[in-house]
Amino acid sequence: MPQPDLVIFDCDGVLVDSEIIAARVEAELITLAGYETSAEEIAETYAGLTLKDILIRIEEKSKIPFQVSLIDRAEELVDRKLRSDVRAIEGVREAVASVTSQRCVCSNSRSERIEFMLEKVHLLPFFAGRIFSAMETPTGKTKPAPDVFLHAAEKLGVNPANTFVIEDSVHGVTGAKAAGMRVIGFTGASHSYPGHADALTEAGAETVIRRWAELKSVIAALSEWSADA
């Protein structure tokens, strides 16, 4: 049975249910800084972006300037909440274990944060030595730029065209498609919203799954489809 060369997992909102935790902290701090927003708005509109990019986009829209110190404060508070509250998404361990090809993580989060979250939920052994933070690539460009995906493919010696990426955000899907990779959307985390699957499909995901139990059969079906194409 044909298989991809590599399966790339996003971290936040794919492996761990962290997007909603970060969104709550960020929404509260951004509101206190003068722009009223909610965790739901942050999750729906800006999921997959770094806080720096979120603030830049809000500044452009609202014309409200934010202090640089807001980023450091938010990072500190988010880290603290994640260390105590983050959980694996139901069924993810079995889904990751079912992947027989190479696997890795590509995320906009810092590698330190990725590692402590994966260690807390006992997923780190699946990805040890194969964690790629967009901020730590040679270019430092974060999603929706394709750089982190291409960097991972180069490091692992695989063909981007035979790589599957699992993403929960439009920005992540956009980056993976720009890297020439095939994308499976995921909507099984707590920050998912009405229209989430449609948004991922419109961004370029070939299919969207809500439960991790679907992953193995979806990869098999898409791999077969590619072989027959």
mmCIF file with all atom_site columns, all heavy atoms in Angstrom, residues 66-93:
data_model
loop_
_atom_site.group_PDB
_atom_site.id
_atom_site.type_symbol
_atom_site.label_atom_id
_atom_site.label_alt_id
_atom_site.label_comp_id
_atom_site.label_asym_id
_atom_site.label_entity_id
_atom_site.label_seq_id
_atom_site.pdbx_PDB_ins_code
_atom_site.Cartn_x
_atom_site.Cartn_y
_atom_site.Cartn_z
_atom_site.occupancy
_atom_site.B_iso_or_equiv
_atom_site.pdbx_formal_charge
_atom_site.auth_seq_id
_atom_site.auth_comp_id
_atom_site.auth_asym_id
_atom_site.auth_atom_id
_atom_site.pdbx_PDB_model_num
ATOM 1   N N   . PHE A 1 66 ? 0.211   48.713 20.350 1.00 0.00 ? 66 PHE A N   1
ATOM 2   C CA  . PHE A 1 66 ? 0.454   47.854 21.507 1.00 0.00 ? 66 PHE A CA  1
ATOM 3   C C   . PHE A 1 66 ? 1.918   47.943 21.924 1.00 0.00 ? 66 PHE A C   1
ATOM 4   O O   . PHE A 1 66 ? 2.804   48.084 21.079 1.00 0.00 ? 66 PHE A O   1
ATOM 5   C CB  . PHE A 1 66 ? 0.116   46.389 21.176 1.00 0.00 ? 66 PHE A CB  1
ATOM 6   C CG  . PHE A 1 66 ? -1.328  46.145 20.860 1.00 0.00 ? 66 PHE A CG  1
ATOM 7   C CD1 . PHE A 1 66 ? -1.743  45.890 19.561 1.00 0.00 ? 66 PHE A CD1 1
ATOM 8   C CD2 . PHE A 1 66 ? -2.285  46.178 21.866 1.00 0.00 ? 66 PHE A CD2 1
ATOM 9   C CE1 . PHE A 1 66 ? -3.072  45.666 19.262 1.00 0.00 ? 66 PHE A CE1 1
ATOM 10  C CE2 . PHE A 1 66 ? -3.624  45.955 21.584 1.00 0.00 ? 66 PHE A CE2 1
ATOM 11  C CZ  . PHE A 1 66 ? -4.021  45.701 20.281 1.00 0.00 ? 66 PHE A CZ  1
ATOM 12  N N   . GLN A 1 67 ? 2.143   47.873 23.205 1.00 0.00 ? 67 GLN A N   1
ATOM 13  C CA  . GLN A 1 67 ? 3.512   47.875 23.710 1.00 0.00 ? 67 GLN A CA  1
ATOM 14  C C   . GLN A 1 67 ? 4.153   46.511 23.445 1.00 0.00 ? 67 GLN A C   1
ATOM 15  O O   . GLN A 1 67 ? 3.517   45.468 23.561 1.00 0.00 ? 67 GLN A O   1
ATOM 16  C CB  . GLN A 1 67 ? 3.525   48.169 25.212 1.00 0.00 ? 67 GLN A CB  1
ATOM 17  C CG  . GLN A 1 67 ? 3.037   49.565 25.574 1.00 0.00 ? 67 GLN A CG  1
ATOM 18  C CD  . GLN A 1 67 ? 3.159   49.832 27.067 1.00 0.00 ? 67 GLN A CD  1
ATOM 19  O OE1 . GLN A 1 67 ? 3.459   48.940 27.851 1.00 0.00 ? 67 GLN A OE1 1
ATOM 20  N NE2 . GLN A 1 67 ? 2.932   51.083 27.449 1.00 0.00 ? 67 GLN A NE2 1
ATOM 21  N N   . VAL A 1 68 ? 5.445   46.540 23.124 1.00 0.00 ? 68 VAL A N   1
ATOM 22  C CA  . VAL A 1 68 ? 6.186   45.306 22.852 1.00 0.00 ? 68 VAL A CA  1
ATOM 23  C C   . VAL A 1 68 ? 6.179   44.390 24.069 1.00 0.00 ? 68 VAL A C   1
ATOM 24  O O   . VAL A 1 68 ? 6.166   43.157 23.944 1.00 0.00 ? 68 VAL A O   1
ATOM 25  C CB  . VAL A 1 68 ? 7.635   45.629 22.433 1.00 0.00 ? 68 VAL A CB  1
ATOM 26  C CG1 . VAL A 1 68 ? 8.439   44.346 22.237 1.00 0.00 ? 68 VAL A CG1 1
ATOM 27  C CG2 . VAL A 1 68 ? 7.646   46.447 21.153 1.00 0.00 ? 68 VAL A CG2 1
ATOM 28  N N   . SER A 1 69 ? 6.134   44.990 25.257 1.00 0.00 ? 69 SER A N   1
ATOM 29  C CA  . SER A 1 69 ? 6.158   44.191 26.491 1.00 0.00 ? 69 SER A CA  1
ATOM 30  C C   . SER A 1 69 ? 4.940   43.279 26.615 1.00 0.00 ? 69 SER A C   1
ATOM 31  O O   . SER A 1 69 ? 4.965   42.300 27.370 1.00 0.00 ? 69 SER A O   1
ATOM 32  C CB  . SER A 1 69 ? 6.230   45.110 27.715 1.00 0.00 ? 69 SER A CB  1
ATOM 33  O OG  . SER A 1 69 ? 5.099   45.971 27.762 1.00 0.00 ? 69 SER A OG  1
ATOM 34  N N   . LEU A 1 70 ? 3.878   43.576 25.863 1.00 0.00 ? 70 LEU A N   1
ATOM 35  C CA  . LEU A 1 70 ? 2.675   42.749 25.896 1.00 0.00 ? 70 LEU A CA  1
ATOM 36  C C   . LEU A 1 70 ? 2.988   41.324 25.435 1.00 0.00 ? 70 LEU A C   1
ATOM 37  O O   . LEU A 1 70 ? 2.442   40.355 25.971 1.00 0.00 ? 70 LEU A O   1
ATOM 38  C CB  . LEU A 1 70 ? 1.587   43.367 25.009 1.00 0.00 ? 70 LEU A CB  1
ATOM 39  C CG  . LEU A 1 70 ? 0.255   42.607 24.907 1.00 0.00 ? 70 LEU A CG  1
ATOM 40  C CD1 . LEU A 1 70 ? -0.416  42.505 26.265 1.00 0.00 ? 70 LEU A CD1 1
ATOM 41  C CD2 . LEU A 1 70 ? -0.671  43.291 23.912 1.00 0.00 ? 70 LEU A CD2 1
ATOM 42  N N   . ILE A 1 71 ? 3.879   41.199 24.468 1.00 0.00 ? 71 ILE A N   1
ATOM 43  C CA  . ILE A 1 71 ? 4.239   39.874 23.947 1.00 0.00 ? 71 ILE A CA  1
ATOM 44  C C   . ILE A 1 71 ? 4.927   39.049 25.029 1.00 0.00 ? 71 ILE A C   1
ATOM 45  O O   . ILE A 1 71 ? 4.573   37.887 25.267 1.00 0.00 ? 71 ILE A O   1
ATOM 46  C CB  . ILE A 1 71 ? 5.135   40.001 22.702 1.00 0.00 ? 71 ILE A CB  1
ATOM 47  C CG1 . ILE A 1 71 ? 4.370   40.686 21.558 1.00 0.00 ? 71 ILE A CG1 1
ATOM 48  C CG2 . ILE A 1 71 ? 5.638   38.630 22.262 1.00 0.00 ? 71 ILE A CG2 1
ATOM 49  C CD1 . ILE A 1 71 ? 5.208   40.954 20.326 1.00 0.00 ? 71 ILE A CD1 1
ATOM 50  N N   . ASP A 1 72 ? 5.892   39.654 25.710 1.00 0.00 ? 72 ASP A N   1
ATOM 51  C CA  . ASP A 1 72 ? 6.613   38.925 26.762 1.00 0.00 ? 72 ASP A CA  1
ATOM 52  C C   . ASP A 1 72 ? 5.677   38.515 27.893 1.00 0.00 ? 72 ASP A C   1
ATOM 53  O O   . ASP A 1 72 ? 5.771   37.400 28.418 1.00 0.00 ? 72 ASP A O   1
ATOM 54  C CB  . ASP A 1 72 ? 7.758   39.780 27.314 1.00 0.00 ? 72 ASP A CB  1
ATOM 55  C CG  . ASP A 1 72 ? 8.876   39.977 26.307 1.00 0.00 ? 72 ASP A CG  1
ATOM 56  O OD1 . ASP A 1 72 ? 8.988   39.146 25.392 1.00 0.00 ? 72 ASP A OD1 1
ATOM 57  O OD2 . ASP A 1 72 ? 9.619   40.965 26.426 1.00 0.00 ? 72 ASP A OD2 1
ATOM 58  N N   . ARG A 1 73 ? 4.781   39.430 28.269 1.00 0.00 ? 73 ARG A N   1
ATOM 59  C CA  . ARG A 1 73 ? 3.835   39.144 29.340 1.00 0.00 ? 73 ARG A CA  1
ATOM 60  C C   . ARG A 1 73 ? 2.909   37.998 28.938 1.00 0.00 ? 73 ARG A C   1
ATOM 61  O O   . ARG A 1 73 ? 2.655   37.074 29.728 1.00 0.00 ? 73 ARG A O   1
ATOM 62  C CB  . ARG A 1 73 ? 3.015   40.401 29.660 1.00 0.00 ? 73 ARG A CB  1
ATOM 63  C CG  . ARG A 1 73 ? 1.950   40.219 30.735 1.00 0.00 ? 73 ARG A CG  1
ATOM 64  C CD  . ARG A 1 73 ? 2.554   39.853 32.068 1.00 0.00 ? 73 ARG A CD  1
ATOM 65  N NE  . ARG A 1 73 ? 1.558   39.771 33.126 1.00 0.00 ? 73 ARG A NE  1
ATOM 66  C CZ  . ARG A 1 73 ? 1.680   39.014 34.197 1.00 0.00 ? 73 ARG A CZ  1
ATOM 67  N NH1 . ARG A 1 73 ? 2.772   38.260 34.365 1.00 0.00 ? 73 ARG A NH1 1
ATOM 68  N NH2 . ARG A 1 73 ? 0.743   38.992 35.119 1.00 0.00 ? 73 ARG A NH2 1
ATOM 69  N N   . ALA A 1 74 ? 2.410   38.047 27.713 1.00 0.00 ? 74 ALA A N   1
ATOM 70  C CA  . ALA A 1 74 ? 1.510   36.994 27.238 1.00 0.00 ? 74 ALA A CA  1
ATOM 71  C C   . ALA A 1 74 ? 2.234   35.651 27.158 1.00 0.00 ? 74 ALA A C   1
ATOM 72  O O   . ALA A 1 74 ? 1.678   34.617 27.558 1.00 0.00 ? 74 ALA A O   1
ATOM 73  C CB  . ALA A 1 74 ? 0.947   37.365 25.872 1.00 0.00 ? 74 ALA A CB  1
ATOM 74  N N   . GLU A 1 75 ? 3.448   35.650 26.650 1.00 0.00 ? 75 GLU A N   1
ATOM 75  C CA  . GLU A 1 75 ? 4.208   34.397 26.547 1.00 0.00 ? 75 GLU A CA  1
ATOM 76  C C   . GLU A 1 75 ? 4.402   33.764 27.923 1.00 0.00 ? 75 GLU A C   1
ATOM 77  O O   . GLU A 1 75 ? 4.254   32.543 28.086 1.00 0.00 ? 75 GLU A O   1
ATOM 78  C CB  . GLU A 1 75 ? 5.575   34.669 25.896 1.00 0.00 ? 75 GLU A CB  1
ATOM 79  C CG  . GLU A 1 75 ? 5.509   34.994 24.420 1.00 0.00 ? 75 GLU A CG  1
ATOM 80  C CD  . GLU A 1 75 ? 5.145   33.794 23.580 1.00 0.00 ? 75 GLU A CD  1
ATOM 81  O OE1 . GLU A 1 75 ? 5.895   32.806 23.579 1.00 0.00 ? 75 GLU A OE1 1
ATOM 82  O OE2 . GLU A 1 75 ? 4.088   33.839 22.917 1.00 0.00 ? 75 GLU A OE2 1
ATOM 83  N N   . GLU A 1 76 ? 4.715   34.593 28.896 1.00 0.00 ? 76 GLU A N   1
ATOM 84  C CA  . GLU A 1 76 ? 4.922   34.094 30.256 1.00 0.00 ? 76 GLU A CA  1
ATOM 85  C C   . GLU A 1 76 ? 3.643   33.479 30.819 1.00 0.00 ? 76 GLU A C   1
ATOM 86  O O   . GLU A 1 76 ? 3.658   32.375 31.383 1.00 0.00 ? 76 GLU A O   1
ATOM 87  C CB  . GLU A 1 76 ? 5.392   35.248 31.151 1.00 0.00 ? 76 GLU A CB  1
ATOM 88  C CG  . GLU A 1 76 ? 5.562   34.877 32.612 1.00 0.00 ? 76 GLU A CG  1
ATOM 89  C CD  . GLU A 1 76 ? 5.824   36.096 33.496 1.00 0.00 ? 76 GLU A CD  1
ATOM 90  O OE1 . GLU A 1 76 ? 6.162   37.173 32.967 1.00 0.00 ? 76 GLU A OE1 1
ATOM 91  O OE2 . GLU A 1 76 ? 5.660   35.957 34.722 1.00 0.00 ? 76 GLU A OE2 1
ATOM 92  N N   . LEU A 1 77 ? 2.518   34.184 30.650 1.00 0.00 ? 77 LEU A N   1
ATOM 93  C CA  . LEU A 1 77 ? 1.249   33.698 31.195 1.00 0.00 ? 77 LEU A CA  1
ATOM 94  C C   . LEU A 1 77 ? 0.745   32.461 30.452 1.00 0.00 ? 77 LEU A C   1
ATOM 95  O O   . LEU A 1 77 ? 0.224   31.526 31.064 1.00 0.00 ? 77 LEU A O   1
ATOM 96  C CB  . LEU A 1 77 ? 0.199   34.807 31.146 1.00 0.00 ? 77 LEU A CB  1
ATOM 97  C CG  . LEU A 1 77 ? 0.428   35.996 32.075 1.00 0.00 ? 77 LEU A CG  1
ATOM 98  C CD1 . LEU A 1 77 ? -0.629  37.069 31.844 1.00 0.00 ? 77 LEU A CD1 1
ATOM 99  C CD2 . LEU A 1 77 ? 0.420   35.548 33.533 1.00 0.00 ? 77 LEU A CD2 1
ATOM 100 N N   . VAL A 1 78 ? 0.912   32.451 29.132 1.00 0.00 ? 78 VAL A N   1
ATOM 101 C CA  . VAL A 1 78 ? 0.481   31.295 28.347 1.00 0.00 ? 78 VAL A CA  1
ATOM 102 C C   . VAL A 1 78 ? 1.304   30.069 28.730 1.00 0.00 ? 78 VAL A C   1
ATOM 103 O O   . VAL A 1 78 ? 0.754   28.977 28.937 1.00 0.00 ? 78 VAL A O   1
ATOM 104 C CB  . VAL A 1 78 ? 0.576   31.577 26.831 1.00 0.00 ? 78 VAL A CB  1
ATOM 105 C CG1 . VAL A 1 78 ? 0.373   30.291 26.032 1.00 0.00 ? 78 VAL A CG1 1
ATOM 106 C CG2 . VAL A 1 78 ? -0.458  32.619 26.423 1.00 0.00 ? 78 VAL A CG2 1
ATOM 107 N N   . ASP A 1 79 ? 2.616   30.237 28.839 1.00 0.00 ? 79 ASP A N   1
ATOM 108 C CA  . ASP A 1 79 ? 3.461   29.111 29.250 1.00 0.00 ? 79 ASP A CA  1
ATOM 109 C C   . ASP A 1 79 ? 3.005   28.536 30.586 1.00 0.00 ? 79 ASP A C   1
ATOM 110 O O   . ASP A 1 79 ? 2.922   27.313 30.761 1.00 0.00 ? 79 ASP A O   1
ATOM 111 C CB  . ASP A 1 79 ? 4.931   29.549 29.361 1.00 0.00 ? 79 ASP A CB  1
ATOM 112 C CG  . ASP A 1 79 ? 5.670   29.488 28.042 1.00 0.00 ? 79 ASP A CG  1
ATOM 113 O OD1 . ASP A 1 79 ? 5.104   28.984 27.055 1.00 0.00 ? 79 ASP A OD1 1
ATOM 114 O OD2 . ASP A 1 79 ? 6.824   29.957 27.988 1.00 0.00 ? 79 ASP A OD2 1
ATOM 115 N N   . ARG A 1 80 ? 2.703   29.428 31.527 1.00 0.00 ? 80 ARG A N   1
ATOM 116 C CA  . ARG A 1 80 ? 2.295   28.982 32.858 1.00 0.00 ? 80 ARG A CA  1
ATOM 117 C C   . ARG A 1 80 ? 0.995   28.177 32.790 1.00 0.00 ? 80 ARG A C   1
ATOM 118 O O   . ARG A 1 80 ? 0.865   27.115 33.407 1.00 0.00 ? 80 ARG A O   1
ATOM 119 C CB  . ARG A 1 80 ? 2.120   30.204 33.771 1.00 0.00 ? 80 ARG A CB  1
ATOM 120 C CG  . ARG A 1 80 ? 1.928   29.853 35.235 1.00 0.00 ? 80 ARG A CG  1
ATOM 121 C CD  . ARG A 1 80 ? 1.706   31.109 36.066 1.00 0.00 ? 80 ARG A CD  1
ATOM 122 N NE  . ARG A 1 80 ? 2.776   32.088 35.878 1.00 0.00 ? 80 ARG A NE  1
ATOM 123 C CZ  . ARG A 1 80 ? 2.695   33.354 36.276 1.00 0.00 ? 80 ARG A CZ  1
ATOM 124 N NH1 . ARG A 1 80 ? 1.585   33.801 36.845 1.00 0.00 ? 80 ARG A NH1 1
ATOM 125 N NH2 . ARG A 1 80 ? 3.715   34.174 36.083 1.00 0.00 ? 80 ARG A NH2 1
ATOM 126 N N   . LYS A 1 81 ? 0.012   28.672 32.016 1.00 0.00 ? 81 LYS A N   1
ATOM 127 C CA  . LYS A 1 81 ? -1.268  27.972 31.889 1.00 0.00 ? 81 LYS A CA  1
ATOM 128 C C   . LYS A 1 81 ? -1.109  26.642 31.151 1.00 0.00 ? 81 LYS A C   1
ATOM 129 O O   . LYS A 1 81 ? -1.728  25.640 31.517 1.00 0.00 ? 81 LYS A O   1
ATOM 130 C CB  . LYS A 1 81 ? -2.283  28.854 31.145 1.00 0.00 ? 81 LYS A CB  1
ATOM 131 C CG  . LYS A 1 81 ? -2.808  30.014 31.962 1.00 0.00 ? 81 LYS A CG  1
ATOM 132 C CD  . LYS A 1 81 ? -3.659  29.543 33.139 1.00 0.00 ? 81 LYS A CD  1
ATOM 133 C CE  . LYS A 1 81 ? -5.000  28.990 32.683 1.00 0.00 ? 81 LYS A CE  1
ATOM 134 N NZ  . LYS A 1 81 ? -5.828  28.549 33.848 1.00 0.00 ? 81 LYS A NZ  1
ATOM 135 N N   . LEU A 1 82 ? -0.267  26.633 30.129 1.00 0.00 ? 82 LEU A N   1
ATOM 136 C CA  . LEU A 1 82 ? -0.063  25.397 29.382 1.00 0.00 ? 82 LEU A CA  1
ATOM 137 C C   . LEU A 1 82 ? 0.601   24.335 30.241 1.00 0.00 ? 82 LEU A C   1
ATOM 138 O O   . LEU A 1 82 ? 0.240   23.153 30.184 1.00 0.00 ? 82 LEU A O   1
ATOM 139 C CB  . LEU A 1 82 ? 0.778   25.661 28.134 1.00 0.00 ? 82 LEU A CB  1
ATOM 140 C CG  . LEU A 1 82 ? 0.102   26.480 27.027 1.00 0.00 ? 82 LEU A CG  1
ATOM 141 C CD1 . LEU A 1 82 ? 1.108   26.829 25.940 1.00 0.00 ? 82 LEU A CD1 1
ATOM 142 C CD2 . LEU A 1 82 ? -1.093  25.739 26.435 1.00 0.00 ? 82 LEU A CD2 1
ATOM 143 N N   . ARG A 1 83 ? 1.572   24.738 31.038 1.00 0.00 ? 83 ARG A N   1
ATOM 144 C CA  . ARG A 1 83 ? 2.270   23.769 31.891 1.00 0.00 ? 83 ARG A CA  1
ATOM 145 C C   . ARG A 1 83 ? 1.310   23.097 32.871 1.00 0.00 ? 83 ARG A C   1
ATOM 146 O O   . ARG A 1 83 ? 1.477   21.925 33.220 1.00 0.00 ? 83 ARG A O   1
ATOM 147 C CB  . ARG A 1 83 ? 3.413   24.456 32.646 1.00 0.00 ? 83 ARG A CB  1
ATOM 148 C CG  . ARG A 1 83 ? 4.621   24.766 31.774 1.00 0.00 ? 83 ARG A CG  1
ATOM 149 C CD  . ARG A 1 83 ? 5.765   25.357 32.589 1.00 0.00 ? 83 ARG A CD  1
ATOM 150 N NE  . ARG A 1 83 ? 6.868   25.752 31.745 1.00 0.00 ? 83 ARG A NE  1
ATOM 151 C CZ  . ARG A 1 83 ? 7.821   24.951 31.292 1.00 0.00 ? 83 ARG A CZ  1
ATOM 152 N NH1 . ARG A 1 83 ? 7.782   23.661 31.613 1.00 0.00 ? 83 ARG A NH1 1
ATOM 153 N NH2 . ARG A 1 83 ? 8.791   25.405 30.525 1.00 0.00 ? 83 ARG A NH2 1
ATOM 154 N N   . SER A 1 84 ? 0.289   23.824 33.290 1.00 0.00 ? 84 SER A N   1
ATOM 155 C CA  . SER A 1 84 ? -0.642  23.247 34.268 1.00 0.00 ? 84 SER A CA  1
ATOM 156 C C   . SER A 1 84 ? -1.868  22.606 33.616 1.00 0.00 ? 84 SER A C   1
ATOM 157 O O   . SER A 1 84 ? -2.390  21.605 34.118 1.00 0.00 ? 84 SER A O   1
ATOM 158 C CB  . SER A 1 84 ? -1.107  24.323 35.252 1.00 0.00 ? 84 SER A CB  1
ATOM 159 O OG  . SER A 1 84 ? -1.830  25.344 34.583 1.00 0.00 ? 84 SER A OG  1
ATOM 160 N N   . ASP A 1 85 ? -2.317  23.151 32.469 1.00 0.00 ? 85 ASP A N   1
ATOM 161 C CA  . ASP A 1 85 ? -3.635  22.772 31.956 1.00 0.00 ? 85 ASP A CA  1
ATOM 162 C C   . ASP A 1 85 ? -3.656  22.001 30.639 1.00 0.00 ? 85 ASP A C   1
ATOM 163 O O   . ASP A 1 85 ? -4.693  21.416 30.290 1.00 0.00 ? 85 ASP A O   1
ATOM 164 C CB  . ASP A 1 85 ? -4.500  24.027 31.758 1.00 0.00 ? 85 ASP A CB  1
ATOM 165 C CG  . ASP A 1 85 ? -4.811  24.733 33.071 1.00 0.00 ? 85 ASP A CG  1
ATOM 166 O OD1 . ASP A 1 85 ? -4.466  24.175 34.134 1.00 0.00 ? 85 ASP A OD1 1
ATOM 167 O OD2 . ASP A 1 85 ? -5.378  25.841 33.028 1.00 0.00 ? 85 ASP A OD2 1
ATOM 168 N N   . VAL A 1 86 ? -2.571  22.018 29.861 1.00 0.00 ? 86 VAL A N   1
ATOM 169 C CA  . VAL A 1 86 ? -2.660  21.454 28.511 1.00 0.00 ? 86 VAL A CA  1
ATOM 170 C C   . VAL A 1 86 ? -2.903  19.942 28.569 1.00 0.00 ? 86 VAL A C   1
ATOM 171 O O   . VAL A 1 86 ? -2.394  19.239 29.446 1.00 0.00 ? 86 VAL A O   1
ATOM 172 C CB  . VAL A 1 86 ? -1.395  21.776 27.687 1.00 0.00 ? 86 VAL A CB  1
ATOM 173 C CG1 . VAL A 1 86 ? -0.199  20.902 28.084 1.00 0.00 ? 86 VAL A CG1 1
ATOM 174 C CG2 . VAL A 1 86 ? -1.685  21.632 26.203 1.00 0.00 ? 86 VAL A CG2 1
ATOM 175 N N   . ARG A 1 87 ? -3.720  19.472 27.623 1.00 0.00 ? 87 ARG A N   1
ATOM 176 C CA  . ARG A 1 87 ? -4.040  18.056 27.512 1.00 0.00 ? 87 ARG A CA  1
ATOM 177 C C   . ARG A 1 87 ? -3.871  17.621 26.055 1.00 0.00 ? 87 ARG A C   1
ATOM 178 O O   . ARG A 1 87 ? -4.006  18.424 25.137 1.00 0.00 ? 87 ARG A O   1
ATOM 179 C CB  . ARG A 1 87 ? -5.502  17.794 27.927 1.00 0.00 ? 87 ARG A CB  1
ATOM 180 C CG  . ARG A 1 87 ? -5.825  18.174 29.364 1.00 0.00 ? 87 ARG A CG  1
ATOM 181 C CD  . ARG A 1 87 ? -5.187  17.217 30.371 1.00 0.00 ? 87 ARG A CD  1
ATOM 182 N NE  . ARG A 1 87 ? -5.564  17.542 31.743 1.00 0.00 ? 87 ARG A NE  1
ATOM 183 C CZ  . ARG A 1 87 ? -4.900  18.380 32.529 1.00 0.00 ? 87 ARG A CZ  1
ATOM 184 N NH1 . ARG A 1 87 ? -3.827  19.009 32.068 1.00 0.00 ? 87 ARG A NH1 1
ATOM 185 N NH2 . ARG A 1 87 ? -5.301  18.613 33.761 1.00 0.00 ? 87 ARG A NH2 1
ATOM 186 N N   . ALA A 1 88 ? -3.610  16.334 25.879 1.00 0.00 ? 88 ALA A N   1
ATOM 187 C CA  . ALA A 1 88 ? -3.594  15.772 24.528 1.00 0.00 ? 88 ALA A CA  1
ATOM 188 C C   . ALA A 1 88 ? -5.014  15.720 23.991 1.00 0.00 ? 88 ALA A C   1
ATOM 189 O O   . ALA A 1 88 ? -5.978  15.566 24.761 1.00 0.00 ? 88 ALA A O   1
ATOM 190 C CB  . ALA A 1 88 ? -2.988  14.376 24.545 1.00 0.00 ? 88 ALA A CB  1
ATOM 191 N N   . ILE A 1 89 ? -5.161  15.843 22.700 1.00 0.00 ? 89 ILE A N   1
ATOM 192 C CA  . ILE A 1 89 ? -6.476  15.694 22.087 1.00 0.00 ? 89 ILE A CA  1
ATOM 193 C C   . ILE A 1 89 ? -6.827  14.206 22.038 1.00 0.00 ? 89 ILE A C   1
ATOM 194 O O   . ILE A 1 89 ? -5.972  13.364 21.748 1.00 0.00 ? 89 ILE A O   1
ATOM 195 C CB  . ILE A 1 89 ? -6.489  16.340 20.696 1.00 0.00 ? 89 ILE A CB  1
ATOM 196 C CG1 . ILE A 1 89 ? -6.341  17.865 20.864 1.00 0.00 ? 89 ILE A CG1 1
ATOM 197 C CG2 . ILE A 1 89 ? -7.785  16.008 19.950 1.00 0.00 ? 89 ILE A CG2 1
ATOM 198 C CD1 . ILE A 1 89 ? -6.194  18.624 19.602 1.00 0.00 ? 89 ILE A CD1 1
ATOM 199 N N   . GLU A 1 90 ? -8.062  13.896 22.349 1.00 0.00 ? 90 GLU A N   1
ATOM 200 C CA  . GLU A 1 90 ? -8.491  12.507 22.484 1.00 0.00 ? 90 GLU A CA  1
ATOM 201 C C   . GLU A 1 90 ? -8.161  11.686 21.238 1.00 0.00 ? 90 GLU A C   1
ATOM 202 O O   . GLU A 1 90 ? -8.479  12.090 20.109 1.00 0.00 ? 90 GLU A O   1
ATOM 203 C CB  . GLU A 1 90 ? -10.001 12.449 22.741 1.00 0.00 ? 90 GLU A CB  1
ATOM 204 C CG  . GLU A 1 90 ? -10.527 11.051 22.969 1.00 0.00 ? 90 GLU A CG  1
ATOM 205 C CD  . GLU A 1 90 ? -12.016 11.016 23.246 1.00 0.00 ? 90 GLU A CD  1
ATOM 206 O OE1 . GLU A 1 90 ? -12.643 12.088 23.332 1.00 0.00 ? 90 GLU A OE1 1
ATOM 207 O OE2 . GLU A 1 90 ? -12.562 9.907  23.365 1.00 0.00 ? 90 GLU A OE2 1
ATOM 208 N N   . GLY A 1 91 ? -7.513  10.554 21.454 1.00 0.00 ? 91 GLY A N   1
ATOM 209 C CA  . GLY A 1 91 ? -7.214  9.638  20.362 1.00 0.00 ? 91 GLY A CA  1
ATOM 210 C C   . GLY A 1 91 ? -5.927  9.918  19.613 1.00 0.00 ? 91 GLY A C   1
ATOM 211 O O   . GLY A 1 91 ? -5.550  9.159  18.719 1.00 0.00 ? 91 GLY A O   1
ATOM 212 N N   . VAL A 1 92 ? -5.231  11.010 19.967 1.00 0.00 ? 92 VAL A N   1
ATOM 213 C CA  . VAL A 1 92 ? -4.057  11.409 19.178 1.00 0.00 ? 92 VAL A CA  1
ATOM 214 C C   . VAL A 1 92 ? -2.907  10.417 19.301 1.00 0.00 ? 92 VAL A C   1
ATOM 215 O O   . VAL A 1 92 ? -2.187  10.164 18.341 1.00 0.00 ? 92 VAL A O   1
ATOM 216 C CB  . VAL A 1 92 ? -3.607  12.840 19.539 1.00 0.00 ? 92 VAL A CB  1
ATOM 217 C CG1 . VAL A 1 92 ? -3.014  12.906 20.943 1.00 0.00 ? 92 VAL A CG1 1
ATOM 218 C CG2 . VAL A 1 92 ? -2.603  13.350 18.514 1.00 0.00 ? 92 VAL A CG2 1
ATOM 219 N N   . ARG A 1 93 ? -2.726  9.845  20.486 1.00 0.00 ? 93 ARG A N   1
ATOM 220 C CA  . ARG A 1 93 ? -1.580  8.949  20.669 1.00 0.00 ? 93 ARG A CA  1
ATOM 221 C C   . ARG A 1 93 ? -1.681  7.741  19.730 1.00 0.00 ? 93 ARG A C   1
ATOM 222 O O   . ARG A 1 93 ? -0.712  7.352  19.077 1.00 0.00 ? 93 ARG A O   1
ATOM 223 C CB  . ARG A 1 93 ? -1.498  8.498  22.131 1.00 0.00 ? 93 ARG A CB  1
ATOM 224 C CG  . ARG A 1 93 ? -0.196  7.822  22.511 1.00 0.00 ? 93 ARG A CG  1
ATOM 225 C CD  . ARG A 1 93 ? -0.067  7.649  24.011 1.00 0.00 ? 93 ARG A CD  1
ATOM 226 N NE  . ARG A 1 93 ? 0.069   8.945  24.698 1.00 0.00 ? 93 ARG A NE  1
ATOM 227 C CZ  . ARG A 1 93 ? -0.907  9.531  25.380 1.00 0.00 ? 93 ARG A CZ  1
ATOM 228 N NH1 . ARG A 1 93 ? -2.076  8.964  25.492 1.00 0.00 ? 93 ARG A NH1 1
ATOM 229 N NH2 . ARG A 1 93 ? -0.706  10.695 25.964 1.00 0.00 ? 93 ARG A NH2 1
#
